[in-house]
Amino acid sequence: MATNTSSDWSFGGPTAPFFDAHGNDPAKFVFEQVRDDSFTLDEIVTYDDGDTRVHVPDRTLITDLASIPLFMAWFVPVNGRHTPAAVVHDKLVHDATADSDGGAGRLAASQRRSEADDLFLAAMAATGVPLLRWRIMHSAVVLATRWQRSLPARVGVLAWVLASVLGSAGLVWAVASGEWLVAALAAVAPVVGGLLWGLRSWGPAVLAGYVAWVIGLPALATALGYGAYWIAEKLLVVLPAARPRTGARPKPAPYR
């Protein structure tokens, strides 16, 4: 199979390392919407980078494309250049979850999810997703995998979140107060705090610690704004004058 570089990857061709059911390039990415935020592929897509081959079935795998909370859609949309990688990642995560059974099964599933996260990273690079964006998206799925791994792993994630909030607040205070030694310590804290994700996930954790300063406040503002809208929608449902004369009023989009 022919390969291509991310610079010439495009929907419709060339799409390697994504191929159709017969191994031909280009693959076709045609979706049917089956629920408000769920889709199925109309045609089989195969990912094959020479080392790993993944078949994404048609009409059976339910995918939400990229699992992006609504308040983060300003930074990474649900669909885009990363869509093929997200669909393959959903397939691998689905398989890993389906095969898990008991403690040993959960550990095996976690390992398979980690491998899926690595492939997600490679697939995004192949399709030409901007470098910083695919690194940040990879950090997000690594965090999700870490959260699913075990109770101690969840404790580590919660400790990391708490440390990030306290460290950010400390950095702001130190800069405002001219306490430059404290500011310097706070600035390098993500390097140490990344260990709370485990050694294997240290790199994505460090990146997450730093980009949180850039995208955290806009995400918080967007979350608060959308939360206010969502509450208003819920309140309007109880007002008779706000209801449509015929049919049921559609529910607001899930707040996730």
Side-chain angles (χ1 to χ4, degrees), residues 19-245:
F19 306 91
D20 67 14
H22 306 289
N24 298 319
D25 186 353
K28 293 182 179 180
F29 302 92
V30 182
F31 295 90
E32 177 184 354
Q33 186 166 353
V34 295
R35 291 196 289 268
D36 287 353
D37 56 356
S38 301
F39 304 83
T40 60
L41 271 171
D42 274 358
E43 298 187 19
I44 295 173
V45 170
T46 299
Y47 174 87
D48 188 352
D49 62 5
D51 296 320
T52 304
R53 178 178 294 180
V54 181
H55 294 286
V56 183
D58 57 333
R59 301 182 181 87
T60 56
L61 176 71
I62 305 298
T63 174
D64 61 353
L65 306 182
S67 303
I68 308 297
L70 290 174
F71 58 86
M72 285 297 297
W74 64 272
F75 179 69
V76 178
V78 171
N79 62 295
R81 180 60 71 96
H82 52 271
T83 296
V87 172
V88 171
H89 185 261
D90 277 357
K91 163 64 175 172
L92 294 174
V93 170
H94 175 270
D95 290 348
T97 303
D99 292 342
S100 64
D101 183 20
R106 285 194 294 271
L107 290 176
S110 178
Q111 177 60 34
R112 292 181 62 182
R113 282 194 59 148
S114 295
E115 294 170 356
D117 296 344
D118 292 342
L119 190 143
F120 181 53
L121 182 70
M124 285 191 292
T127 58
V129 177
L131 189 150
L132 183 56
R133 178 173 292 179
W134 55 257
R135 285 290 184 182
I136 294 173
M137 293 179 69
H138 176 246
S139 294
V141 296
V142 168
L143 177 60
T145 295
R146 188 73 184 168
W147 181 260
Q148 293 292 332
R149 184 175 179 83
S150 64
L151 179 58
R154 292 188 180 188
V155 172
V157 169
L158 292 175
W160 177 84
V161 171
L162 179 60
S164 297
V165 173
L166 294 177
S168 298
L171 178 62
V172 172
W173 171 83
V175 171
S177 304
E179 298 288 343
W180 301 114
L181 178 58
V182 176
L185 292 174
V188 300
V191 176
V192 179
L195 294 173
L196 292 170
W197 286 25
L199 289 176
R200 189 181 189 280
S201 304
W202 176 78
V206 172
L207 177 61
Y210 283 111
V211 301
W213 295 341
V214 178
I215 66 177
L217 289 179
L220 178 61
T222 305
L224 293 174
Y226 186 81
Y229 151 74
W230 189 83
I231 292 172
E233 284 279 17
K234 289 293 187 180
L235 293 176
L236 285 173
V237 171
V238 303
L239 299 179
R243 299 173 185 170
R245 294 184 178 180

